[in-house]
Amino acid sequence: MAGWISGLTTLHDLTERLARTRTPDAALHEVLRAGAALVGAPRGLLVLEPADGLGPVTTVGLGLGHAELGQLETVPRTALAYGRLLDGLPEPEPATGPGTAPAALPGPTPPAHDEPPHAPGAEAVPVPDGPPDAVPVRPGPVPAADSEPALGRPENPDGTELPAVPGHPGVAEPDVLGTPGLDPRVREVAARLGYAASYAVPLDAAPVGRLGVAVWLYDEPAEPDDHRRHLLGLYRAYAAEHLARVLELHRQQKAAAALTEGLLPHRLPRVPGIRLAVRHAAGPRGGGDWFDALPLPDGALGLAVGSVSGSGPEAVAAMGQLRASLRAYAVMEGEDPVAVLSDLELLLRLTEPARSATLLFAFMEAPGGASSGAPGGPVAGAGGTFPRTLTLAGAGHCPPLLTGEHRTEFVETSLSAPLTMLACWEAPSVEISPSPGETLLLYSDGLLHRTGDSTDRAFARLRAAAAGAPRAVRQDPEALVDHILARLLPQGLDDPASPEDVVLLAAHFEA
């Protein structure tokens, strides 16, 4: 009784660990680790190959490197037990003959009272040694039986039945090298990798069906007894359902990210005297942060960074509509950023009255343009001429940051509300005059939120990261945006744990 309760307690702990995983990669590694502890094996691999063909397809290993996994992949799938499980093929008939013992058939083995051998480093798991007084509560939801019926039901030593576990019972190969009729390629790889036995189980969950197969490898001839198989069966039922949920979430996130990327510029325009760089990452649900860099009539350039409220497909669609509308208004009246934002506010109010948006739009006149003879006009340099005056207008958006060798300061745009937040939006524009070698940084509030700091501290960290960039980095906008992101987001730009979108757009004015 005590051993049975101890085993269920361990099972509960393992399912709790699995429930905390949020990505397919983390879940696959946790299933492998937990399964190895339950069956007493030191190594294993898990092949994810969803039956619906929608992916992702991958193989992860426990105690096996890429080279060792590659060796297993050189063996035909039909020659391996886990390959036959993946393809839904039946196990071959056991080969018997003089002096040979029958090969192991799929299904539970007779009750064993001795523990299977443990390889060095394998984690021991308490295995029940007596019948429970009552059927225990299973840790976590257990799915209903699928189309594959349970083949047999293990018994306790006193003959009482353990609770049935749905699904395929798995395939044990207790002595791989001693199996009659073994494919020579399997024998070669097993000897090279140093494993002598294996135990494979499929992972099935609705609505996908077969998700993949997990297999654990023993260093010596061995197989899990009925109690270990039963504990693994309970764990596997929960693990398959969890993997199916994580997989579906992963697919939704990839689809949202692909949709977002498809609505944003695929390349940045080339402008004499200006070099552009951008980094963008969509949140796991797809969000409304966006950017644009568009060539305008007479060689002018428009830059925009904005954010639409909400997340998910609706926010992504609204973001795409807002960006397309800004492009149309910028082409017609881009030299007046306030007029562009006013028209966008009216359009958003009429088409998306329940949604708000922040936006920053900057207009740069072409070199040699109408303002070339005015004070602060184009100045010649090694990189050609470049516009000295930028006109900006913002609607509730984060202030841009101007950084260079002699200054790093936020550009104080006029105080204004997000679009649709007031009965009539209006705010004056501001003009700035960047010097040769300086860089203008436009970004979304997601960059600040991902730091996990308060708003004031996030602003201070952004300014410090830009100011602390080495001189060579400041002269390369690609290197500068990477430097800033590395300082602000050490966990990386594509952090699945963060719900925030990130946009960082840099415009470097060459000397």
Side-chain angles (χ1 to χ4, degrees), residues 454-467:
S454 64
T455 302
D456 290 342
R457 176 163 173 74
F459 275 124
R461 288 184 59 190
L462 173 60
R463 184 182 182 279

Side-chain angles (χ1 to χ4, degrees), residues 18-377:
L18 179 62
R20 290 193 289 269
T21 60
R22 293 290 180 268
T23 64
D25 186 69
L28 294 175
H29 281 91
E30 178 58 29
V31 170
L32 262 184
R33 190 202 68 82
L38 290 172
V39 301
R43 295 183 291 170
L45 66 146
L46 198 158
V47 181
L48 180 67
E49 193 174 300
D52 58 9
L54 300 179
V57 175
T58 186
T59 301
V60 299
L62 175 70
L64 298 172
H66 291 294
E68 294 167 311
L69 293 174
Q71 292 182 46
L72 285 168
E73 291 176 356
T74 63
V75 180
R77 283 169 49 138
T78 55
L80 296 165
Y82 73 86
R84 294 189 292 271
L85 282 175
L86 275 172
D87 295 336
L89 300 176
E91 286 300 297
E93 291 294 328
T96 58
T100 64
L105 289 172
T109 59
H113 299 280
D114 296 327
E115 289 290 326
H118 293 274
E123 182 179 349
V125 175
V127 179
D129 54 8
D133 293 335
V135 176
V137 178
R138 297 180 183 179
V142 177
D146 54 20
S147 57
E148 291 187 52
L151 303 180
R153 179 180 294 189
E155 296 180 348
N156 284 298
D158 66 351
T160 59
E161 290 184 342
L162 295 174
V165 178
H168 196 291
V171 177
E173 293 180 317
D175 187 3
V176 173
L177 298 179
T179 302
L182 182 68
D183 189 302
R185 288 162 294 188
V186 179
R187 187 184 306 277
E188 178 185 354
V189 171
R192 191 179 301 166
L193 298 185
Y195 77 89
S198 68
Y199 182 59
V201 296
L203 299 169
D204 303 327
V208 177
R210 183 138 300 173
L211 298 170
V213 170
V215 56
W216 291 275
L217 308 177
Y218 298 89
D219 295 338
E220 300 176 1
E223 66 177 306
D225 63 19
D226 284 346
H227 290 290
R228 287 182 176 272
R229 294 190 191 205
H230 192 75
L231 287 173
L232 180 65
L234 291 172
Y235 179 82
R236 175 172 56 116
Y238 175 79
E241 291 293 326
H242 179 76
L243 279 174
R245 291 191 295 267
V246 171
L247 183 62
E248 179 61 24
L249 179 61
H250 173 76
R251 289 173 173 178
Q252 292 175 2
Q253 292 171 355
K254 296 291 285 185
L259 176 59
T260 301
E261 293 298 329
L263 294 174
L264 295 176
H266 296 287
R267 63 172 183 245
L268 298 174
R270 293 179 174 270
V271 180
I274 299 176
R275 285 188 292 158
L276 302 174
V278 68
R279 298 292 183 269
H280 171 262
R285 293 190 57 206
D289 288 9
W290 59 281
F291 71 93
D292 207 348
L294 62 154
L296 296 174
D298 301 323
L301 175 68
L303 297 176
V305 170
S307 178
V308 174
S309 61
S311 61
E314 296 82 3
V316 174
M319 174 268 288
Q321 295 170 2
L322 191 65
R323 174 177 171 254
S325 302
L326 176 132
R327 288 195 147 212
Y329 292 137
V331 167
M332 294 186 294
E333 50 191 5
E335 69 281 359
D336 186 358
V338 171
V340 172
L341 265 61
S342 296
D343 289 341
L344 281 174
E345 198 274 340
L346 178 60
L347 178 67
L348 196 62
R349 183 179 298 278
L350 293 174
T351 59
E352 296 276 353
R355 195 179 298 277
S356 62
T358 66
L359 178 61
L360 182 69
F361 179 66
F363 173 81
M364 306 179 205
E365 198 170 56
S371 63
S372 59

